[in-house]
Amino acid sequence: MGEEQGMRLKNRIRIAFTLVVLVPLVLTGLIFVLFLQHAEPMYPVAMLRSDIWFTVIVVFVGILILTSVIAAVWIYHQIASPLAELKWAARNIRDGNLDFTIDAMSNIREVNELSEDFEEMRLRLKESAEEKLEGDKESKELISNISHDLRTPITAIKGYALGLIDGVASTPEKRDHYIHTIYNKANDMDKLIDELTIYSRLDTNRIPYTFAQLNVSDYFGDCIEDLRVDLQAQDIGLVYQNDVADDVLMIADAEQLKRAVNNVISNAVKYMDKPAAVIQVRLKDVGDFIQVEIEDNGKGIAQRDLARIFDRFYRTDASRNSRVGGSGIGLSIVRKIIEDHEGKVWATSREGAGTTIYFVLRKYIPSEEVFAPEDV
Ligand SMILES: Nc1ncnc2c1ncn2[C@@H]1O[C@H](COP(=O)(O)OP(=O)(O)O)[C@@H](O)[C@H]1O
Ligand SMILES: [Mg+2]
């Protein structure tokens, strides 16, 4: 829509005002001249004089009224009909109906601009209404997901507790097993609630990152040492390969980055289906970035699911139907953390063979060191 569309109201009023003043004058003059030409020659001049002035005034006032009315209607029409449309639009918006378009085309620029602003407001409102709807849908999904995921361990806990109460667990071994199961299920719930809390905090930016300058090799070296102990206990091999120079730095939040790595590793453990389980962690230098690759030889992910595993609550049908629990939040936390580090995360996988999760983090290159003259 052109900025210059329509005439300015001020100009229109100027024209109207000129019309109101000029037209009566010109017309009256014209009529006067005509009247004089056709007037009877013997008409007494004195009579003519008084009569003519009266007629002139009457005609003038008549024409004045007429032109004013025409000018007023002219302006009114250009304002009134778009205003009526805007009024209708405002009513629609008030009633929550945003599916209409405003095309109150007028020849007055101000009115056009108002219509355009109105239309823009409608579009913005519509957008935010849609966003809200989407958000509502997501939180409903969230609630239904959470209830489902909490119910599973609770059902188990209730079942085993009842077994203990009823004396179904008759031997000390059985009782022990029941109690352990209850403990493990309660643990599952704890983890799920933790994940949810972290996710919602990350999502609403309630976890302030504490970024620091970290040495890449040292940081991941420490990470791997922590993991090695855990994995050894679960009989899972860990291969670590670091191709990044010793002095490469990055800016990262140590705690959150660790959380991301742990989430990826815990998936590798959880979706492992081979007796000879191996997880490989590789660190590569790819120019401005360092690339971290975490590869497992677990059950893999179908190609069609690969793009969605980083979406929150997304779990493949295969894992949904399996025994292993989960919320589908783990990888969305990973993506959020990596993206907050201005990095990227993606995955490749072969069903039955294993999965590799990749992420890149930008290297930190300290600005030119100040040249310090050596001691002489
Ligand atoms: N290493 C892996 N091997 C096989 N499948 C995986 C792996 N990592 C993730 N997935 C799939 O991606 C889904 C999403 O992972 P995640 O967000 O961590 O949720 P969760 O582990 O709670 O199910 C998992 O449910 C699983 O189907
Ligand atoms: Mg997970």
Side-chain angles (χ1 to χ4, degrees), residues 195 263-264 266-268 270-271 315 325-331:
E195 276 195 338
N263 281 359
V264 173
S266 75
N267 281 343
K270 194 155 81 172
Y271 302 109
R315 305 193 70 210
S327 55
I329 300 178
L331 287 181

Side-chain angles (χ1 to χ4, degrees), residues 77-286:
H77 183 74
Q78 291 297 328
I79 297 178
S81 74
L83 270 190
E85 189 164 354
L86 287 179
K87 187 168 143 193
W88 164 80
R91 290 237 165 109
N92 265 332
I93 290 176
R94 182 195 65 192
D95 298 341
N97 169 25
L98 295 166
D99 290 313
F100 59 90
T101 38
I102 301 162
D103 41 25
M105 265 300 119
S106 154
N107 289 326
I108 296 175
R109 209 182 294 166
E110 284 89 341
V111 175
N112 273 338
E113 283 164 1
L114 181 63
S115 309
E116 277 168 31
D117 286 349
F118 221 88
E119 174 67 1
E120 204 182 312
M121 175 182 84
R122 181 191 70 84
L123 288 175
R124 292 244 177 108
L125 279 174
K126 196 172 167 197
E127 230 168 67
S128 74
E130 274 162 7
E131 265 168 27
K132 186 171 174 296
L133 219 64
E134 186 64 25
D136 285 355
K137 201 176 130 227
E138 269 185 16
S139 32
K140 280 198 191 111
E141 242 168 55
L142 174 104
I143 291 170
S144 104
N145 271 314
I146 298 170
S147 345
H148 175 264
D149 289 348
L150 285 177
R151 183 163 299 132
T152 320
I154 283 184
T155 311
I157 289 173
K158 274 171 77 181
Y160 283 96
L162 208 64
L164 286 170
I165 294 167
D166 291 351
V168 176
S170 44
T171 62
E173 291 79 33
K174 262 195 178 170
R175 271 199 290 278
D176 211 44
H177 169 68
Y178 276 37
I179 290 167
H180 267 95
T181 312
I182 290 174
Y183 177 76
N184 288 338
K185 295 291 170 190
N187 248 348
D188 285 351
M189 286 173 62
D190 214 25
K191 262 192 244 157
L192 171 63
I193 290 166
D194 267 358
E195 276 195 338
L196 280 169
T197 317
I198 287 157
Y199 187 85
S200 84
R201 285 205 189 140
L202 276 172
D203 203 38
T204 50
N205 296 322
R206 271 182 296 146
I207 294 190
Y209 285 95
T210 37
F211 287 107
Q213 186 177 316
L214 302 175
N215 176 291
V216 173
S217 298
D218 290 350
Y219 177 80
F220 284 102
D222 290 348
C223 253
I224 293 298
E225 281 328 301
D226 289 350
L227 287 170
R228 200 180 288 283
V229 184
D230 278 355
L231 293 177
Q232 238 159 24
Q234 300 174 73
D235 242 0
I236 297 172
L238 177 64
V239 179
Y240 177 51
Q241 178 194 332
N242 176 7
D243 298 340
V244 175
D246 281 346
D247 59 351
V248 174
L249 303 174
M250 63 179 172
I251 299 285
D253 179 322
E255 194 187 331
Q256 302 309 328
L257 193 57
K258 182 85 183 288
R259 192 193 301 285
V261 171
N262 282 347
N263 281 359
V264 173
I265 298 280
S266 75
N267 281 343
V269 172
K270 194 155 81 172
Y271 302 109
M272 181 58 72
D273 60 352
K274 313 281 190 305
V278 182
I279 295 175
Q280 303 181 51
V281 179
R282 290 183 293 270
L283 236 56
K284 290 184 177 166
D285 190 318
V286 287

Side-chain angles (χ1 to χ4, degrees), residues 195 267-268 270-271 296 299-301 309 314-316 319 325-332 355 357:
E195 276 195 338
N267 281 343
K270 194 155 81 172
Y271 302 109
D296 65 56
K299 66 181 196 176
I301 303 165
I309 56 170
Y314 189 79
R315 305 193 70 210
T316 66
S319 52
S327 55
I329 300 178
L331 287 181
S332 61
T355 305
I357 304 285

